[in-house]
């Protein structure tokens, strides 16, 4: 079994809210995590209905209410949200207690960056995506958690291995103990890129299925999840500690926003990961 990658996120329902969790991470006390869907929110039109990102042009009050609905089951308030301005780079922020709420309002975000790491309990690290993947990391030996955003630019710049290295260097986390789950993201059949983008991946060694292959149109199919999974394996993540991407955001319009499918005018799903302070205390009590 150890050679088999774990199944990825699974869909759950709580009242009107639909969300996803990875059983791999859900089994990891003291980590709390979830990935939102577009179901159960109050936004309308192209943003319908649970858009969680401000930069989409959605109503501020709707985004706040949507975030409230998604965060409530996990015991977090929208005022606590931590987020960076995602720019498809590989900058990683170490989030500290003073950063609580930096991401709760459009003006309060951390600076530009695409990954957050922390060992501080009860800080809700968040990321936003609609086709790009969010990568959920748990380092239970520290404990610490991380959340990264990886589209084609981040993937080509080795975002996933960069987070593994960061958790190791910053906190002494052992990659062999780390758990990683990949959020829903656009699949290789739905996602095509032009020759210039493809060339970058070919030069990085990702030529051929299941990574990159020619489409009849002259464009190229790109399977970001397959590349990220290999990057993580090379970085020392054990196969049994890796939950692959098993949902395509473009193939499931009823559940997910898709930037490509909607030609840019759409909402974003939110990824959440945090260390639960009360569960940390529980762990200490046991020992
Ligand atoms: Zn697809």
């Amino acid at each position: 079994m150890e050679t088999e990658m774990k199944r990825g996120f699974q869909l759950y329902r709580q009242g009107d809210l639909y969300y996803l969790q990875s059983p791999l991470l859900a089994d990891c006390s003291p980590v709390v995590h979830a990935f939102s869907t577009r179901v159960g929110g109050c936004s309308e039109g192209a943003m319908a209905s649970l858009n969680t990102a401000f930069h989409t042009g959605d109503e501020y009050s709707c985004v706040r209410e949507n975030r409230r609905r998604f965060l409530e089951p996990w015991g977090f308030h929208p005022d606590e949200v931590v987020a960076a301005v995602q720019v498809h780079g590989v900058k990683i922020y170490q989030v500290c207690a003073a950063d609580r709420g930096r991401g709760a309002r459009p003006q309060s975000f951390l600076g530009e960056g695409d990954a957050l790491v922390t060992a501080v309990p009860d800080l809700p690290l968040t990321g936003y995506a609609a086709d790009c993947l969010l990568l959920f990391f748990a380092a239970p030996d520290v404990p610490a958690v991380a959340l990264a955003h990886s589209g084609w630019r981040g993937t080509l710049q080795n975002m996933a291995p960069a987070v593994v290295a960061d958790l190791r260097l910053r906190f002494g986390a052992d990659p062999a103990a780390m758990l990683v789950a990949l959020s829903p993201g656009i699949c290789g059949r739905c996602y095509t890129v032009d020759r210039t983008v493809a060339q970058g991946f070919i030069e990085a060694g990702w030529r051929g299925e299941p990574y990159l292959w020619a489409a009849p149109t002259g464009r190229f199919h790109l399977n970001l999840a397959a590349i990220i999974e290999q990057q993580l394996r090379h970085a020392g993540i054990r196969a049994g500690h890796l939950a692959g991407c098993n949902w395509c955001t473009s193939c499931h319009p009823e559940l997910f926003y898709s930037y490509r499918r909607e030609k840019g005018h759409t909402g974003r799903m939110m990824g959440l990961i945090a260390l639960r302070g009360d569960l940390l205390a529980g762990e200490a009590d046991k020992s």
Side-chain angles (χ1 to χ4, degrees):
M1 285 300 288
E2 179 52 32
T3 54
E4 289 292 318
M5 213 164 54
K6 300 279 187 188
R7 281 192 62 202
F9 276 74
Q10 294 185 31
L11 184 65
Y12 299 93
R13 181 180 182 182
Q14 189 166 330
D16 292 334
L17 184 74
Y18 287 70
Y19 62 92
L20 295 99
Q21 280 190 323
S22 156
L24 176 74
L25 288 178
D27 286 346
C28 177
S29 171
V31 174
V32 58
H33 81 289
F35 185 79
S36 69
T37 68
R38 65 185 301 172
V39 182
C42 63
S43 297
E44 296 181 342
M47 303 298 152
S49 67
L50 200 118
N51 169 48
T52 59
F54 294 117
H55 68 281
T56 54
D58 199 354
E59 299 265 348
Y60 172 82
S61 60
C62 289
V63 175
R64 288 278 297 189
E65 171 60 16
N66 292 338
R67 287 178 167 198
R68 190 194 66 75
R69 292 183 192 184
F70 173 61
L71 293 168
E72 190 172 40
W74 325 113
F76 291 111
H77 187 274
D79 283 344
E80 299 178 288
V81 163
V82 180
V85 177
Q86 297 172 179
V87 291
H88 299 279
V90 288
K91 180 178 167 65
I92 301 171
Y93 277 98
Q94 181 174 357
V95 179
C96 60
D99 295 323
R100 182 181 307 278
R102 296 199 62 191
R105 291 174 179 76
Q107 303 79 12
S108 70
F109 278 59
L110 298 164
E112 294 182 345
D114 287 82
L116 309 174
V117 303
T118 196
V120 177
D122 299 322
L123 280 179
L125 308 187
T126 67
Y128 303 83
D131 292 343
C132 292
L133 280 86
L134 297 182
L135 318 179
F136 294 69
F137 293 81
D141 54 339
V142 178
V145 290
L147 187 63
H149 165 252
S150 196
W152 74 260
R153 289 182 182 83
T155 302
L156 192 54
Q157 293 174 83
N158 294 298
M159 169 54 97
V163 176
V164 174
D166 190 89
L167 287 166
R168 183 167 53 80
L169 294 170
R170 211 185 287 270
F171 300 120
D174 180 0
M178 283 181 207
L179 307 173
V180 190
L182 275 57
S183 79
I186 194 165
C187 79
R189 288 181 304 281
C190 290
Y191 188 32
T192 63
V193 296
D194 65 24
R195 183 169 293 278
T196 307
V197 173
Q199 190 59 37
F201 283 90
I202 289 167
E203 285 167 12
W206 298 110
R207 176 177 228 146
E209 290 197 55
Y211 309 115
L212 179 82
W213 64 98
T217 56
R219 291 172 65 84
F220 292 82
H221 291 280
L222 180 61
N223 185 341
L224 291 174
I227 294 170
I228 293 167
E229 287 157 14
Q230 275 305 308
Q231 290 174 331
L232 287 165
R233 295 286 287 131
H234 287 146
I237 305 300
R238 295 163 62 185
H241 288 183
L242 178 55
C245 176
N246 59 337
W247 292 90
C248 171
T249 44
S250 179
C251 288
H252 293 279
E254 75 288 2
L255 283 176
F256 303 120
Y257 301 109
S258 169
Y259 188 89
R260 300 271 162 165
R261 188 188 63 226
E262 306 302 339
K263 305 193 167 31
H265 187 48
T266 194
R268 300 289 186 280
M269 284 77 70
M270 176 192 273
L272 159 75
I273 194 164
L275 290 168
R276 286 276 303 274
D278 54 339
L279 296 179
L280 280 174
E283 290 290 296
D285 289 346
K286 267 188 262 166
S287 58

